[in-house]
C-alpha cells in the first residue's frame, strides 16, 4: 500500500443548473479538497435510482429483452431494468420491472449489491438482483417507450453475446457476471 | 421470443441545454418513436469516453486504488480508470492511467469490450481492459484531484470486497468479473 489515507471532499456550495425532473437534475458544486484547493465547477448529475434483474427460468436460461436503447442508438440485448417509482423499494421495482418487461415472475430473489453508476458525477445508484425459478405468468405489458422482444438465453449464449458485443450496456454485463459467473482459479 | 422486431427511434431535433465542456454536455432531443409518437423532451448526457483497467501483477494480485470518489461521496476501492485525452486511443488511455494512478506497467493487454454507461441517456462509453504481468515501474503521479492509495488484492479478497460493498462503482465491478470470473456450471 502506498500513499496516505484518502480523505473526503467538502461541499461548500451546490446549485441546480439544469433540471428535467423527475428524470434528470444537474448541479454545479464548489468543493474543497483535503489539500485545501477549491474547485468551483464540479458537477453532479442526478438520475433516479434503478433496479436491474438477472432472472433464470426453471431451465436455467436467462430472461433477456431485445430493445432499442436511445442511449446506445441501436437495438441490443439487455436485462429487464427500470427506475424506482416514488415509495418503491429496490426489490419491489425489480419484481415489477421483470413482470412488466418480460411477463415473468420469480419466487427466489437475492441482492447482488448496490453500485454507483459514475464515480465522478453520481448518475444514480443501480440495485442489482438475481432471481431464480422464473416462469412466465403474463404477457409483457411495459408502459415504456420501447418496443421489446423477450429472449431466453443459456449461460453459454450469454458469454458469447458478451464477448461479441451484443450486450451494449455496462449494467447488464455487470449483473450477468455477478449473478452467474464465479472467480476462476488462478 | 415474443413481440415484433424492435425498431430504432428517429431524432427530429437536438439542442444543447447545458454545457461544461470538455467534461459534460446535456442535450434535449425531440424523437419520433416507431409507433409514430413524438417525445419532445428526451435528454442525452454526454461525458468523455473512458478506459477502466483490471491489471494483474505477476503474483496474480490485482492493482486496486483506494480513493475518495465524489460521485459516491465516500472513500472506496476501485480500479485505475480515466477519460480519453484528445487524440488518444482507448488502449493508450488505459496504459497511461494505469501508470499514472498506480505506477504499474504491463506488457500483455486484452480488450474486454466497450459498453455504454446508461441505456437511456448515454453518459459516455467505457472501454474495459485486462492486463497481466503488471509490475511497478514508478511512483504514482496522478495529476487528478483525488488522494490515492495503491492496494494489491487477491481474487478471493476481491470477491469478498464485492460482496461486502467495498467496491462502490459498477464499472469496476463489471471489469473485475469480466476479467477474472468465468461462467459457473449450472
Amino acid at each position: 500500500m502506498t500513499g496516505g489515507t484518502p480523505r473526503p471532499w467538502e461541499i461548500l456550495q451546490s446549485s441546480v443548473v439544469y433540471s428535467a425532473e423527475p428524470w434528470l437534475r444537474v448541479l454545479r458544486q464548489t468543493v474543497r479538497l483535503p489539500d485545501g484547493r477549491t474547485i468551483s465547477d464540479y458537477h453532479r448529475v442526478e438520475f433516479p435510482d434503478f433496479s436491474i434483474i438477472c432472472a433464470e427460468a426453471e431451465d436455467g436460461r436467462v430472461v433477456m429483452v431485445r430493445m432499442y436503447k436511445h442511449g446506445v442508438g441501436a437495438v441490443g440485448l439487455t436485462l429487464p431494468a427500470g427506475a424506482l417509482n416514488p415509495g418503491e423499494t429496490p426489490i419491489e421495482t425489480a419484481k415489477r420491472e421483470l413482470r412488466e418487461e418480460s411477463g415473468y415472475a420469480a419466487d427466489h430473489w437475492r441482492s447482488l449489491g448496490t453500485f454507483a453508476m459514475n464515480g465522478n458525477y453520481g448518475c444514480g445508484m443501480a440495485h442489482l438482483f438475481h432471481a431464480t425459478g422464473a416462469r412466465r405468468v403474463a404477457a409483457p405489458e411495459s408502459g415504456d417507450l420501447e418496443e421489446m422482444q423477450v429472449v431466453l438465453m443459456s449461460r453459454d449464449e450469454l458469454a458469447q453475446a458478451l464477448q461479441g458485443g451484443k450486450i451494449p450496456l455496462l449494467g447488464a454485463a455487470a449483473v450477468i457476471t455477478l449473478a452467474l459467473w464465479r472467480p476462476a482459479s488462478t
Side-chain angles (χ1 to χ4, degrees), chain A residues 46-58:
Chain A
E46 295 183 345
F47 298 125
D49 290 0
F50 63 106
S51 293
I52 314 176
I53 308 99
C54 178
E56 289 184 82
E58 284 161 345

Side-chain angles (χ1 to χ4, degrees), chain A residues 7-143:
Chain A
R7 294 166 293 176
W9 299 356
E10 186 184 355
I11 299 169
L12 300 179
Q13 197 270 340
S14 185
S15 57
V16 176
V17 290
Y18 185 78
S19 174
E21 295 186 65
W23 300 112
L24 166 65
R25 217 164 66 131
V26 181
L27 294 84
R28 186 169 55 213
Q29 300 185 331
T30 302
V31 295
R32 181 155 52 206
L33 310 191
D35 65 8
R37 275 183 295 171
T38 296
I39 309 288
S40 62
D41 62 346
Y42 207 88
H43 287 81
R44 182 168 186 83
V45 175
E46 295 183 345
F47 298 125
D49 290 0
F50 63 106
S51 293
I52 314 176
I53 308 99
C54 178
E56 289 184 82
E58 284 161 345
D59 66 1
R61 288 187 299 167
V62 172
V63 180
M64 301 289 292
V65 288
R66 181 181 284 121
M67 60 199 296
Y68 172 79
K69 295 306 297 184
H70 194 58
V72 181
V75 172
L77 288 163
T78 190
L79 291 172
L84 273 64
N85 284 337
E88 230 176 15
T89 63
I91 182 72
E92 289 169 349
T93 304
K95 292 178 177 178
R96 176 179 57 72
E97 288 286 349
L98 177 65
R99 186 166 182 140
E100 286 179 0
E101 295 202 339
S102 72
Y104 277 70
D107 291 328
H108 307 292
W109 291 80
R110 68 176 175 119
S111 167
L112 299 169
T114 295
F115 295 86
M117 293 301 293
N118 188 297
N120 297 325
Y121 303 107
C123 297
M125 303 294 285
H127 304 277
L128 315 187
F129 291 96
H130 181 200
T132 50
R135 62 206 179 281
R136 193 162 191 274
V137 296
E141 49 167 306
S142 172

Side-chain angles (χ1 to χ4, degrees), chain A residues 147-169:
Chain A
E147 300 177 328
M148 288 187 297
Q149 284 179 320
V150 177
V151 187
L152 296 179
M153 295 179 71
S154 70
R155 292 184 183 200
D156 282 352
E157 289 170 334
L158 282 175
Q160 286 169 22
L162 277 171
Q163 281 194 328
K166 308 293 190 199
I167 298 174
L169 298 180

